[in-house]
Amino acid sequence: MNYVEWLRVRNTLRVLAIVLGAFILIVLVLRISFNQYITEDNAFIKHIKLEPGATVSQSVLPDGTKRTTIKSPSDNTTVVIDNHGINGRHIVITEPLSKAHEHEHRAVIGSVVYNERNVGKMAVTTIDTNGSVPFLYYMAIADLAAFFIATVLAAPFARESDGHLEYALTKPVSRETFAVSVIGADLAGIIAASLMTIVALLLCQAMFEVPSFDFGGVNTSAILMGIAAPFAWYGLLAASTASLKRGYGAILGFAWPVAILVVVFAEIPWGDSLVGQLVHNVFWTISRIDPLSYISFTVDENSAGQLTGPPNFAPRLAIEFALFLIYSTLAVVQWRRVEA
């Protein structure tokens, strides 16, 4: 009964597939262009060789790993590089504390895991170039695609009312059933957009290294929020356009800048004056119904070096799902009342 909506979803995803395909092609060209620098084993070694008295020795471990050991007596520094091929490199740098950072720390940049610790008067730095990538990064990019698709699809009832409402009302199914099936088709398209983007990112990463992921902690939270937030955004736009027969494109077009400005203005103190407080309170109140207000980009690192999200994540997630249900219900109610 909602064949037309599935066609809209298919056509929208086709456009996304073309964009992602072009992105993959660009990454492939870059991979080929920089191949000599990526596969070059001696780039780092040549730099260390410049140190006075530095020596370089190479060996092969029993498991086939190629090991390069660099010693610089003048700096009392030793570098051991285990080359695992496509699985990345494991680098251990041992140097005096005077050359290292004052405090031990750990950092994760994409698939590169950096860990520095102090052992006596020496600092031992470990670098793994193909560590587990926090899935949070993938989900953040996939959310951009999901929000884009949600915006494009988010006026299903206005499109039904635009020029062929009489035909839509003759379908042998109740309005509620039709509305739920249409919303279900669009939600499937939003999820498909996220999955397609993640697959594209995997293919791009696979051109440089074997993908490895971390799904624990904040990453699981990111996946849940990555589903709830686009759903809530879709519901808001669907409810805002459900009673319209034309002009819904303007709402879809201006929704993003308006929603972002509401969030920004709600965070601005606006001073202690009565006018400033009034403006702040007005925008803060409006922001409570804005799905973008509950998306947090705050990511910290605990003592174990694990990424952690905001402490109030559970309420944020619950509100996003609640907004989706409320807005979707409002859209269905409006669709029931539309007259030809």
Side-chain angles (χ1 to χ4, degrees), residues 79-333:
V79 179
V80 179
I81 305 173
D82 291 338
N83 188 345
H84 299 291
I86 196 172
N87 291 317
R89 292 170 175 79
H90 177 74
I91 304 172
V92 179
I93 304 173
T94 305
E95 58 188 347
L97 286 176
S98 58
K99 295 184 61 178
H101 295 89
E102 294 182 0
H103 305 286
E104 297 182 353
H105 67 284
R106 183 180 186 274
V108 179
I109 305 175
S111 62
V112 178
V113 181
Y114 178 93
N115 189 18
E116 183 177 315
R117 59 189 178 88
N118 299 333
V119 181
K121 296 182 179 180
M122 305 295 288
V124 179
T125 302
T126 302
I127 303 173
D128 289 295
T129 62
N130 190 24
S132 296
V133 180
F135 204 78
L136 168 70
Y137 301 150
Y138 286 88
M139 206 63 205
I141 300 176
D143 273 356
L144 295 178
F147 271 105
F148 171 76
I149 298 300
T151 304
V152 173
L153 297 175
F157 306 117
R159 290 188 176 96
E160 290 292 337
S161 300
D162 187 10
H164 52 86
L165 179 60
E166 293 81 359
Y167 171 75
L169 297 182
T170 62
K171 296 181 179 181
V173 65
S174 67
R175 288 197 183 190
E176 294 83 355
T177 302
F178 174 76
V180 172
S181 65
V182 166
I183 293 175
D186 291 341
L187 297 184
I190 295 171
I191 295 177
S194 295
L195 294 177
M196 290 169 59
T197 305
I198 291 173
V199 170
L201 294 174
L202 288 177
L203 292 176
C204 292
Q205 184 182 358
M207 296 180 193
F208 297 88
E209 61 190 10
V210 176
S212 178
F213 312 107
D214 177 11
F215 289 101
V218 68
N219 299 288
T220 302
S221 301
I223 294 174
L224 295 175
M225 184 61 75
I227 296 173
F231 280 12
W233 179 252
Y234 168 86
L236 171 63
L237 296 183
S240 301
T241 58
S243 296
L244 301 179
K245 294 186 177 182
R246 57 184 60 87
Y248 54 86
I251 293 180
L252 299 182
F254 286 102
W256 272 103
V258 170
I260 292 174
L261 286 177
V262 167
V263 175
V264 173
F265 287 167
E267 294 296 328
I268 298 177
W270 296 103
D272 296 327
S273 65
L274 284 177
V275 175
Q277 289 297 311
L278 176 62
V279 172
H280 172 74
N281 291 334
V282 168
F283 279 106
W284 184 89
T285 303
I286 297 175
S287 70
R288 297 307 89 190
I289 61 174
D290 185 351
L292 300 186
S293 300
Y294 302 98
I295 301 176
S296 175
F297 297 96
T298 302
V299 179
D300 298 318
E301 190 173 288
N302 59 25
S303 58
Q306 298 174 331
L307 297 178
T308 60
N312 58 346
F313 169 77
R316 289 172 180 263
L317 181 65
I319 292 174
E320 292 282 22
F321 277 116
L323 288 177
F324 163 67
L325 293 175
I326 293 172
Y327 289 140
S328 298
T329 301
L330 290 176
V332 173
V333 170

